[in-house]
PDB file of all heavy atoms in Angstrom:
ATOM      1  N   HIS A   1       5.282  83.686  34.857  1.00  0.00           N
ATOM      2  CA  HIS A   1       5.284  83.307  36.238  1.00  0.00           C
ATOM      3  C   HIS A   1       6.637  83.856  36.885  1.00  0.00           C
ATOM      4  O   HIS A   1       7.506  83.027  37.325  1.00  0.00           O
ATOM      5  CB  HIS A   1       5.095  81.894  36.537  1.00  0.00           C
ATOM      6  CG  HIS A   1       5.984  80.898  35.703  1.00  0.00           C
ATOM      7  ND1 HIS A   1       7.212  80.408  36.082  1.00  0.00           N
ATOM      8  CD2 HIS A   1       5.735  80.427  34.511  1.00  0.00           C
ATOM      9  CE1 HIS A   1       7.613  79.656  35.144  1.00  0.00           C
ATOM     10  NE2 HIS A   1       6.864  79.653  34.180  1.00  0.00           N
ATOM     11  N   ARG A   2       6.838  85.067  36.762  1.00  0.00           N
ATOM     12  CA  ARG A   2       8.124  85.596  37.274  1.00  0.00           C
ATOM     13  C   ARG A   2       8.190  85.541  38.768  1.00  0.00           C
ATOM     14  O   ARG A   2       7.149  85.605  39.455  1.00  0.00           O
ATOM     15  CB  ARG A   2       8.179  87.162  36.899  1.00  0.00           C
ATOM     16  CG  ARG A   2       8.435  87.429  35.338  1.00  0.00           C
ATOM     17  CD  ARG A   2       8.049  88.913  35.032  1.00  0.00           C
ATOM     18  NE  ARG A   2       8.563  89.784  35.898  1.00  0.00           N
ATOM     19  CZ  ARG A   2       9.575  90.664  35.611  1.00  0.00           C
ATOM     20  NH1 ARG A   2      10.190  90.792  34.355  1.00  0.00           N
ATOM     21  NH2 ARG A   2      10.086  91.590  36.636  1.00  0.00           N
ATOM     22  N   ARG A   3       9.395  85.526  39.273  1.00  0.00           N
ATOM     23  CA  ARG A   3       9.624  85.577  40.771  1.00  0.00           C
ATOM     24  C   ARG A   3       9.432  86.949  41.399  1.00  0.00           C
ATOM     25  O   ARG A   3       9.107  86.983  42.438  1.00  0.00           O
ATOM     26  CB  ARG A   3      11.002  85.001  41.053  1.00  0.00           C
ATOM     27  CG  ARG A   3      11.168  83.524  40.645  1.00  0.00           C
ATOM     28  CD  ARG A   3      12.574  83.118  40.760  1.00  0.00           C
ATOM     29  NE  ARG A   3      13.163  83.450  42.115  1.00  0.00           N
ATOM     30  CZ  ARG A   3      14.459  83.333  42.447  1.00  0.00           C
ATOM     31  NH1 ARG A   3      15.299  83.133  41.427  1.00  0.00           N
ATOM     32  NH2 ARG A   3      14.803  83.719  43.667  1.00  0.00           N
ATOM     33  N   ARG A   4       9.635  87.937  40.606  1.00  0.00           N
ATOM     34  CA  ARG A   4       9.575  89.426  41.218  1.00  0.00           C
ATOM     35  C   ARG A   4       8.552  90.185  40.304  1.00  0.00           C
ATOM     36  O   ARG A   4       8.265  89.811  39.130  1.00  0.00           O
ATOM     37  CB  ARG A   4      10.922  89.995  40.957  1.00  0.00           C
ATOM     38  CG  ARG A   4      12.157  89.340  41.671  1.00  0.00           C
ATOM     39  CD  ARG A   4      12.117  89.335  43.140  1.00  0.00           C
ATOM     40  NE  ARG A   4      13.171  88.597  43.670  1.00  0.00           N
ATOM     41  CZ  ARG A   4      13.249  88.317  45.020  1.00  0.00           C
ATOM     42  NH1 ARG A   4      12.356  88.897  45.893  1.00  0.00           N
ATOM     43  NH2 ARG A   4      14.263  87.612  45.505  1.00  0.00           N
ATOM     44  N   TYR A   5       7.975  91.167  40.877  1.00  0.00           N
ATOM     45  CA  TYR A   5       7.053  91.972  40.229  1.00  0.00           C
ATOM     46  C   TYR A   5       7.684  92.809  39.106  1.00  0.00           C
ATOM     47  O   TYR A   5       8.869  93.071  39.077  1.00  0.00           O
ATOM     48  CB  TYR A   5       6.557  92.976  41.293  1.00  0.00           C
ATOM     49  CG  TYR A   5       5.617  92.426  42.291  1.00  0.00           C
ATOM     50  CD1 TYR A   5       5.991  92.388  43.664  1.00  0.00           C
ATOM     51  CD2 TYR A   5       4.392  92.027  41.984  1.00  0.00           C
ATOM     52  CE1 TYR A   5       5.216  91.846  44.559  1.00  0.00           C
ATOM     53  CE2 TYR A   5       3.509  91.386  42.920  1.00  0.00           C
ATOM     54  CZ  TYR A   5       3.970  91.346  44.243  1.00  0.00           C
ATOM     55  OH  TYR A   5       3.130  90.738  45.139  1.00  0.00           O
ATOM     56  N   PHE A   6       6.879  93.039  38.117  1.00  0.00           N
ATOM     57  CA  PHE A   6       7.248  93.905  36.995  1.00  0.00           C
ATOM     58  C   PHE A   6       7.590  95.287  37.547  1.00  0.00           C
ATOM     59  O   PHE A   6       6.911  95.816  38.571  1.00  0.00           O
ATOM     60  CB  PHE A   6       6.181  94.078  36.075  1.00  0.00           C
ATOM     61  CG  PHE A   6       6.030  92.920  35.090  1.00  0.00           C
ATOM     62  CD1 PHE A   6       4.843  91.981  35.404  1.00  0.00           C
ATOM     63  CD2 PHE A   6       6.738  92.521  34.104  1.00  0.00           C
ATOM     64  CE1 PHE A   6       4.674  90.910  34.627  1.00  0.00           C
ATOM     65  CE2 PHE A   6       6.625  91.486  33.436  1.00  0.00           C
ATOM     66  CZ  PHE A   6       5.553  90.634  33.541  1.00  0.00           C
ATOM     67  N   GLN A   7       8.620  95.979  37.056  1.00  0.00           N
ATOM     68  CA  GLN A   7       9.035  97.318  37.496  1.00  0.00           C
ATOM     69  C   GLN A   7       8.572  98.471  36.577  1.00  0.00           C
ATOM     70  O   GLN A   7       8.766  99.671  36.917  1.00  0.00           O
ATOM     71  CB  GLN A   7      10.601  97.303  37.709  1.00  0.00           C
ATOM     72  CG  GLN A   7      11.000  96.219  38.653  1.00  0.00           C
ATOM     73  CD  GLN A   7      10.608  96.484  40.065  1.00  0.00           C
ATOM     74  OE1 GLN A   7      10.529  97.715  40.624  1.00  0.00           O
ATOM     75  NE2 GLN A   7      10.050  95.549  40.754  1.00  0.00           N
ATOM     76  N   GLY A   8       8.275  98.099  35.297  1.00  0.00           N
ATOM     77  CA  GLY A   8       7.934  99.177  34.310  1.00  0.00           C
ATOM     78  C   GLY A   8       9.170  99.946  33.912  1.00  0.00           C
ATOM     79  O   GLY A   8       8.979 101.125  33.643  1.00  0.00           O
ATOM     80  N   ARG A   9      10.275  99.194  33.777  1.00  0.00           N
ATOM     81  CA  ARG A   9      11.579 100.014  33.460  1.00  0.00           C
ATOM     82  C   ARG A   9      12.402  98.906  32.584  1.00  0.00           C
ATOM     83  O   ARG A   9      12.139  97.721  32.629  1.00  0.00           O
ATOM     84  CB  ARG A   9      12.287 100.526  34.639  1.00  0.00           C
ATOM     85  CG  ARG A   9      12.750  99.391  35.709  1.00  0.00           C
ATOM     86  CD  ARG A   9      13.399 100.077  36.840  1.00  0.00           C
ATOM     87  NE  ARG A   9      13.777  99.161  37.926  1.00  0.00           N
ATOM     88  CZ  ARG A   9      15.032  98.525  37.893  1.00  0.00           C
ATOM     89  NH1 ARG A   9      15.810  98.719  36.874  1.00  0.00           N
ATOM     90  NH2 ARG A   9      15.308  97.729  38.850  1.00  0.00           N
ATOM     91  N   THR A  10      13.577  99.407  32.170  1.00  0.00           N
ATOM     92  CA  THR A  10      14.421  98.565  31.401  1.00  0.00           C
ATOM     93  C   THR A  10      15.486  97.937  32.500  1.00  0.00           C
ATOM     94  O   THR A  10      15.691  98.326  33.515  1.00  0.00           O
ATOM     95  CB  THR A  10      15.259  99.414  30.293  1.00  0.00           C
ATOM     96  OG1 THR A  10      16.015 100.351  31.029  1.00  0.00           O
ATOM     97  CG2 THR A  10      14.399 100.034  29.318  1.00  0.00           C
ATOM     98  N   PHE A  11      16.001  96.779  31.872  1.00  0.00           N
ATOM     99  CA  PHE A  11      17.031  96.095  32.656  1.00  0.00           C
ATOM    100  C   PHE A  11      18.161  95.738  31.688  1.00  0.00           C
ATOM    101  O   PHE A  11      18.003  95.874  30.339  1.00  0.00           O
ATOM    102  CB  PHE A  11      16.465  94.767  33.252  1.00  0.00           C
ATOM    103  CG  PHE A  11      15.542  94.898  34.333  1.00  0.00           C
ATOM    104  CD1 PHE A  11      14.160  95.062  34.064  1.00  0.00           C
ATOM    105  CD2 PHE A  11      15.913  95.030  35.643  1.00  0.00           C
ATOM    106  CE1 PHE A  11      13.372  95.294  35.023  1.00  0.00           C
ATOM    107  CE2 PHE A  11      15.068  95.084  36.604  1.00  0.00           C
ATOM    108  CZ  PHE A  11      13.703  95.134  36.281  1.00  0.00           C
ATOM    109  N   ARG A  12      19.433  95.482  32.152  1.00  0.00           N
ATOM    110  CA  ARG A  12      20.508  95.060  31.203  1.00  0.00           C
ATOM    111  C   ARG A  12      20.193  93.875  30.502  1.00  0.00           C
ATOM    112  O   ARG A  12      19.669  92.978  31.028  1.00  0.00           O
ATOM    113  CB  ARG A  12      21.661  94.845  32.008  1.00  0.00           C
ATOM    114  CG  ARG A  12      22.840  94.620  31.148  1.00  0.00           C
ATOM    115  CD  ARG A  12      24.185  94.462  32.110  1.00  0.00           C
ATOM    116  NE  ARG A  12      24.147  93.403  32.991  1.00  0.00           N
ATOM    117  CZ  ARG A  12      25.106  93.129  33.854  1.00  0.00           C
ATOM    118  NH1 ARG A  12      26.235  93.795  33.887  1.00  0.00           N
ATOM    119  NH2 ARG A  12      24.996  92.117  34.696  1.00  0.00           N
ATOM    120  N   GLY A  13      20.274  93.902  29.258  1.00  0.00           N
ATOM    121  CA  GLY A  13      19.867  92.881  28.316  1.00  0.00           C
ATOM    122  C   GLY A  13      18.370  92.806  27.793  1.00  0.00           C
ATOM    123  O   GLY A  13      17.991  91.964  27.130  1.00  0.00           O
ATOM    124  N   SER A  14      17.690  93.871  28.215  1.00  0.00           N
ATOM    125  CA  SER A  14      16.236  93.880  27.933  1.00  0.00           C
ATOM    126  C   SER A  14      15.827  94.569  26.530  1.00  0.00           C
ATOM    127  O   SER A  14      14.834  94.727  26.232  1.00  0.00           O
ATOM    128  CB  SER A  14      15.443  94.677  28.973  1.00  0.00           C
ATOM    129  OG  SER A  14      15.781  95.976  28.933  1.00  0.00           O
ATOM    130  N   GLY A  15      16.999  94.812  25.720  1.00  0.00           N
ATOM    131  CA  GLY A  15      16.779  95.377  24.538  1.00  0.00           C
ATOM    132  C   GLY A  15      16.247  96.786  24.430  1.00  0.00           C
ATOM    133  O   GLY A  15      15.648  97.303  23.438  1.00  0.00           O
ATOM    134  N   GLY A  16      16.509  97.460  25.562  1.00  0.00           N
ATOM    135  CA  GLY A  16      16.028  98.878  25.633  1.00  0.00           C
ATOM    136  C   GLY A  16      14.546  99.175  25.914  1.00  0.00           C
ATOM    137  O   GLY A  16      14.075 100.140  25.820  1.00  0.00           O
ATOM    138  N   LEU A  17      13.809  97.986  26.098  1.00  0.00           N
ATOM    139  CA  LEU A  17      12.389  98.122  26.336  1.00  0.00           C
ATOM    140  C   LEU A  17      12.118  97.751  27.861  1.00  0.00           C
ATOM    141  O   LEU A  17      12.838  97.033  28.522  1.00  0.00           O
ATOM    142  CB  LEU A  17      11.672  97.066  25.494  1.00  0.00           C
ATOM    143  CG  LEU A  17      11.830  97.226  23.996  1.00  0.00           C
ATOM    144  CD1 LEU A  17      11.297  96.066  23.180  1.00  0.00           C
ATOM    145  CD2 LEU A  17      11.232  98.500  23.513  1.00  0.00           C
ATOM    146  N   ASP A  18      11.034  98.341  28.348  1.00  0.00           N
ATOM    147  CA  ASP A  18      10.621  98.077  29.687  1.00  0.00           C
ATOM    148  C   ASP A  18      10.173  96.707  29.861  1.00  0.00           C
ATOM    149  O   ASP A  18       9.857  95.972  28.838  1.00  0.00           O
ATOM    150  CB  ASP A  18       9.443  99.001  29.997  1.00  0.00           C
ATOM    151  CG  ASP A  18       9.854 100.469  30.124  1.00  0.00           C
ATOM    152  OD1 ASP A  18      11.106 100.705  30.264  1.00  0.00           O
ATOM    153  OD2 ASP A  18       9.083 101.330  30.264  1.00  0.00           O
ATOM    154  N   ASP A  19      10.118  96.109  31.058  1.00  0.00           N
ATOM    155  CA  ASP A  19       9.764  94.721  31.246  1.00  0.00           C
ATOM    156  C   ASP A  19       8.263  94.528  31.012  1.00  0.00           C
ATOM    157  O   ASP A  19       7.851  93.424  30.551  1.00  0.00           O
ATOM    158  CB  ASP A  19      10.131  94.316  32.612  1.00  0.00           C
ATOM    159  CG  ASP A  19       9.652  95.107  33.751  1.00  0.00           C
ATOM    160  OD1 ASP A  19       8.962  96.147  33.461  1.00  0.00           O
ATOM    161  OD2 ASP A  19       9.767  94.816  34.952  1.00  0.00           O
ATOM    162  N   ILE A  20       7.472  95.639  31.129  1.00  0.00           N
ATOM    163  CA  ILE A  20       6.174  95.435  30.757  1.00  0.00           C
ATOM    164  C   ILE A  20       5.640  96.830  30.253  1.00  0.00           C
ATOM    165  O   ILE A  20       6.106  97.880  30.737  1.00  0.00           O
ATOM    166  CB  ILE A  20       5.231  95.102  32.084  1.00  0.00           C
ATOM    167  CG1 ILE A  20       3.719  94.921  31.563  1.00  0.00           C
ATOM    168  CG2 ILE A  20       5.302  96.200  33.078  1.00  0.00           C
ATOM    169  CD1 ILE A  20       2.893  94.278  32.704  1.00  0.00           C
ATOM    170  N   VAL A  21       4.780  96.847  29.211  1.00  0.00           N
ATOM    171  CA  VAL A  21       4.254  98.051  28.586  1.00  0.00           C
ATOM    172  C   VAL A  21       2.783  97.868  28.353  1.00  0.00           C
ATOM    173  O   VAL A  21       2.347  96.929  27.878  1.00  0.00           O
ATOM    174  CB  VAL A  21       5.023  98.303  27.172  1.00  0.00           C
ATOM    175  CG1 VAL A  21       4.444  99.636  26.646  1.00  0.00           C
ATOM    176  CG2 VAL A  21       6.431  98.501  27.467  1.00  0.00           C
ATOM    177  N   TRP A  22       2.043  98.782  28.926  1.00  0.00           N
ATOM    178  CA  TRP A  22       0.628  98.799  28.691  1.00  0.00           C
ATOM    179  C   TRP A  22       0.169  99.572  27.496  1.00  0.00           C
ATOM    180  O   TRP A  22       0.672 100.709  27.265  1.00  0.00           O
ATOM    181  CB  TRP A  22      -0.025  99.441  29.844  1.00  0.00           C
ATOM    182  CG  TRP A  22       0.301  98.704  31.211  1.00  0.00           C
ATOM    183  CD1 TRP A  22       1.256  99.097  32.085  1.00  0.00           C
ATOM    184  CD2 TRP A  22      -0.200  97.490  31.675  1.00  0.00           C
ATOM    185  NE1 TRP A  22       1.338  98.146  33.065  1.00  0.00           N
ATOM    186  CE2 TRP A  22       0.432  97.241  32.911  1.00  0.00           C
ATOM    187  CE3 TRP A  22      -1.298  96.577  31.091  1.00  0.00           C
ATOM    188  CZ2 TRP A  22       0.124  96.004  33.532  1.00  0.00           C
ATOM    189  CZ3 TRP A  22      -1.520  95.567  31.938  1.00  0.00           C
ATOM    190  CH2 TRP A  22      -0.898  95.245  33.182  1.00  0.00           C
ATOM    191  N   LEU A  23      -0.684  98.944  26.548  1.00  0.00           N
ATOM    192  CA  LEU A  23      -0.915  99.578  25.259  1.00  0.00           C
ATOM    193  C   LEU A  23      -2.342  99.753  25.052  1.00  0.00           C
ATOM    194  O   LEU A  23      -3.223  99.013  25.436  1.00  0.00           O
ATOM    195  CB  LEU A  23      -0.472  98.527  24.188  1.00  0.00           C
ATOM    196  CG  LEU A  23       1.123  98.181  24.093  1.00  0.00           C
ATOM    197  CD1 LEU A  23       1.346  96.976  23.228  1.00  0.00           C
ATOM    198  CD2 LEU A  23       1.965  99.462  23.757  1.00  0.00           C
ATOM    199  N   LYS A  24      -2.708 100.779  24.410  1.00  0.00           N
ATOM    200  CA  LYS A  24      -4.064 101.000  24.059  1.00  0.00           C
ATOM    201  C   LYS A  24      -4.220 100.457  22.683  1.00  0.00           C
ATOM    202  O   LYS A  24      -3.336 100.090  21.915  1.00  0.00           O
ATOM    203  CB  LYS A  24      -4.445 102.419  24.214  1.00  0.00           C
ATOM    204  CG  LYS A  24      -3.683 103.593  23.495  1.00  0.00           C
ATOM    205  CD  LYS A  24      -4.095 104.964  23.891  1.00  0.00           C
ATOM    206  CE  LYS A  24      -3.133 105.954  23.319  1.00  0.00           C
ATOM    207  NZ  LYS A  24      -3.612 107.459  23.787  1.00  0.00           N
ATOM    208  N   SER A  25      -5.477 100.419  22.114  1.00  0.00           N
ATOM    209  CA  SER A  25      -5.763  99.890  20.939  1.00  0.00           C
ATOM    210  C   SER A  25      -5.105 100.422  19.712  1.00  0.00           C
ATOM    211  O   SER A  25      -4.865  99.719  18.679  1.00  0.00           O
ATOM    212  CB  SER A  25      -7.403  99.820  20.721  1.00  0.00           C
ATOM    213  OG  SER A  25      -7.750 101.159  20.538  1.00  0.00           O
ATOM    214  N   SER A  26      -4.572 101.687  19.836  1.00  0.00           N
ATOM    215  CA  SER A  26      -3.864 102.300  18.693  1.00  0.00           C
ATOM    216  C   SER A  26      -2.408 101.882  18.637  1.00  0.00           C
ATOM    217  O   SER A  26      -1.722 102.259  17.721  1.00  0.00           O
ATOM    218  CB  SER A  26      -3.874 103.869  18.959  1.00  0.00           C
ATOM    219  OG  SER A  26      -3.205 104.203  20.115  1.00  0.00           O
ATOM    220  N   GLY A  27      -1.968 101.046  19.674  1.00  0.00           N
ATOM    221  CA  GLY A  27      -0.608 100.680  19.714  1.00  0.00           C
ATOM    222  C   GLY A  27       0.286 101.611  20.520  1.00  0.00           C
ATOM    223  O   GLY A  27       1.441 101.249  20.799  1.00  0.00           O
ATOM    224  N   GLU A  28      -0.211 102.639  20.989  1.00  0.00           N
ATOM    225  CA  GLU A  28       0.476 103.677  21.673  1.00  0.00           C
ATOM    226  C   GLU A  28       0.392 103.281  23.370  1.00  0.00           C
ATOM    227  O   GLU A  28      -0.438 102.574  23.816  1.00  0.00           O
ATOM    228  CB  GLU A  28      -0.100 105.026  21.620  1.00  0.00           C
ATOM    229  CG  GLU A  28      -0.064 105.553  20.167  1.00  0.00           C
ATOM    230  CD  GLU A  28      -0.880 106.809  19.950  1.00  0.00           C
ATOM    231  OE1 GLU A  28      -2.120 106.853  20.130  1.00  0.00           O
ATOM    232  OE2 GLU A  28      -0.222 107.840  19.525  1.00  0.00           O
ATOM    233  N   VAL A  29       1.426 103.768  23.936  1.00  0.00           N
ATOM    234  CA  VAL A  29       1.443 103.526  25.493  1.00  0.00           C
ATOM    235  C   VAL A  29       0.308 104.244  26.174  1.00  0.00           C
ATOM    236  O   VAL A  29       0.078 105.420  25.814  1.00  0.00           O
ATOM    237  CB  VAL A  29       2.947 103.967  26.084  1.00  0.00           C
ATOM    238  CG1 VAL A  29       2.970 103.754  27.463  1.00  0.00           C
ATOM    239  CG2 VAL A  29       4.047 103.231  25.340  1.00  0.00           C
ATOM    240  N   MET A  30      -0.212 103.527  27.072  1.00  0.00           N
ATOM    241  CA  MET A  30      -1.329 104.180  27.739  1.00  0.00           C
ATOM    242  C   MET A  30      -0.965 105.195  28.660  1.00  0.00           C
ATOM    243  O   MET A  30       0.178 105.252  29.182  1.00  0.00           O
ATOM    244  CB  MET A  30      -2.014 103.113  28.492  1.00  0.00           C
ATOM    245  CG  MET A  30      -2.777 102.087  27.761  1.00  0.00           C
ATOM    246  SD  MET A  30      -3.656 100.838  28.907  1.00  0.00           S
ATOM    247  CE  MET A  30      -4.901 101.834  29.689  1.00  0.00           C
ATOM    248  N   SER A  31      -1.680 106.231  28.674  1.00  0.00           N
ATOM    249  CA  SER A  31      -1.499 107.487  29.510  1.00  0.00           C
ATOM    250  C   SER A  31      -2.348 107.403  30.861  1.00  0.00           C
ATOM    251  O   SER A  31      -3.271 106.477  30.905  1.00  0.00           O
ATOM    252  CB  SER A  31      -1.773 108.714  28.818  1.00  0.00           C
ATOM    253  OG  SER A  31      -3.179 108.756  28.463  1.00  0.00           O
ATOM    254  N   GLN A  32      -2.132 108.284  31.686  1.00  0.00           N
ATOM    255  CA  GLN A  32      -2.983 108.317  32.926  1.00  0.00           C
ATOM    256  C   GLN A  32      -4.374 108.505  32.554  1.00  0.00           C
ATOM    257  O   GLN A  32      -5.357 107.947  33.238  1.00  0.00           O
ATOM    258  CB  GLN A  32      -2.422 109.397  33.881  1.00  0.00           C
ATOM    259  CG  GLN A  32      -3.175 109.379  35.208  1.00  0.00           C
ATOM    260  CD  GLN A  32      -2.895 108.086  35.932  1.00  0.00           C
ATOM    261  OE1 GLN A  32      -1.825 107.481  36.131  1.00  0.00           O
ATOM    262  NE2 GLN A  32      -4.015 107.477  36.451  1.00  0.00           N
ATOM    263  N   GLU A  33      -4.649 109.395  31.544  1.00  0.00           N
ATOM    264  CA  GLU A  33      -6.030 109.651  31.166  1.00  0.00           C
ATOM    265  C   GLU A  33      -6.697 108.375  30.701  1.00  0.00           C
ATOM    266  O   GLU A  33      -7.814 107.976  31.004  1.00  0.00           O
ATOM    267  CB  GLU A  33      -5.979 110.654  30.010  1.00  0.00           C
ATOM    268  CG  GLU A  33      -7.481 110.927  29.563  1.00  0.00           C
ATOM    269  CD  GLU A  33      -7.355 112.140  28.450  1.00  0.00           C
ATOM    270  OE1 GLU A  33      -6.274 112.552  28.106  1.00  0.00           O
ATOM    271  OE2 GLU A  33      -8.468 112.438  27.991  1.00  0.00           O
ATOM    272  N   ASP A  34      -5.887 107.498  30.051  1.00  0.00           N
ATOM    273  CA  ASP A  34      -6.469 106.255  29.547  1.00  0.00           C
ATOM    274  C   ASP A  34      -6.682 105.196  30.671  1.00  0.00           C
ATOM    275  O   ASP A  34      -7.823 104.583  30.765  1.00  0.00           O
ATOM    276  CB  ASP A  34      -5.513 105.572  28.685  1.00  0.00           C
ATOM    277  CG  ASP A  34      -5.167 106.258  27.333  1.00  0.00           C
ATOM    278  OD1 ASP A  34      -6.075 106.795  26.783  1.00  0.00           O
ATOM    279  OD2 ASP A  34      -3.944 106.403  26.976  1.00  0.00           O
ATOM    280  N   TRP A  35      -6.026 105.316  31.763  1.00  0.00           N
ATOM    281  CA  TRP A  35      -6.066 104.519  32.899  1.00  0.00           C
ATOM    282  C   TRP A  35      -7.370 104.812  33.640  1.00  0.00           C
ATOM    283  O   TRP A  35      -8.219 104.102  34.220  1.00  0.00           O
ATOM    284  CB  TRP A  35      -4.915 104.412  33.842  1.00  0.00           C
ATOM    285  CG  TRP A  35      -3.836 103.694  33.449  1.00  0.00           C
ATOM    286  CD1 TRP A  35      -2.534 104.086  33.169  1.00  0.00           C
ATOM    287  CD2 TRP A  35      -3.799 102.174  33.274  1.00  0.00           C
ATOM    288  NE1 TRP A  35      -1.785 103.101  32.749  1.00  0.00           N
ATOM    289  CE2 TRP A  35      -2.461 102.018  32.865  1.00  0.00           C
ATOM    290  CE3 TRP A  35      -4.735 101.199  33.364  1.00  0.00           C
ATOM    291  CZ2 TRP A  35      -2.099 100.638  32.642  1.00  0.00           C
ATOM    292  CZ3 TRP A  35      -4.372  99.895  33.136  1.00  0.00           C
ATOM    293  CH2 TRP A  35      -3.082  99.497  32.821  1.00  0.00           C
ATOM    294  N   ASP A  36      -7.700 106.280  33.605  1.00  0.00           N
ATOM    295  CA  ASP A  36      -8.848 106.742  34.293  1.00  0.00           C
ATOM    296  C   ASP A  36     -10.015 106.744  33.597  1.00  0.00           C
ATOM    297  O   ASP A  36     -11.267 107.142  34.013  1.00  0.00           O
ATOM    298  CB  ASP A  36      -8.577 108.303  34.782  1.00  0.00           C
ATOM    299  CG  ASP A  36      -7.415 108.295  35.739  1.00  0.00           C
ATOM    300  OD1 ASP A  36      -7.097 107.366  36.447  1.00  0.00           O
ATOM    301  OD2 ASP A  36      -6.675 109.333  35.773  1.00  0.00           O
ATOM    302  N   ASN A  37     -10.035 106.240  32.305  1.00  0.00           N
ATOM    303  CA  ASN A  37     -11.267 106.181  31.491  1.00  0.00           C
ATOM    304  C   ASN A  37     -12.203 105.046  31.971  1.00  0.00           C
ATOM    305  O   ASN A  37     -11.911 103.810  31.768  1.00  0.00           O
ATOM    306  CB  ASN A  37     -10.785 105.989  30.056  1.00  0.00           C
ATOM    307  CG  ASN A  37     -11.838 105.967  29.085  1.00  0.00           C
ATOM    308  OD1 ASN A  37     -13.072 105.957  29.378  1.00  0.00           O
ATOM    309  ND2 ASN A  37     -11.531 105.886  27.735  1.00  0.00           N
ATOM    310  N   GLY A  38     -13.231 105.449  32.575  1.00  0.00           N
ATOM    311  CA  GLY A  38     -14.057 104.363  33.128  1.00  0.00           C
ATOM    312  C   GLY A  38     -14.913 103.473  32.143  1.00  0.00           C
ATOM    313  O   GLY A  38     -15.160 102.335  32.427  1.00  0.00           O
TER     314      GLY A  38
END
């Protein structure tokens, strides 16, 4: 229940990871092709 929207980027103290990451079943980051997969 964050006060602000996710930005999809890193912040100071975030451990070098984005605030949100979308993953496909392989554990890899989703690509635009994955998003467009109906």
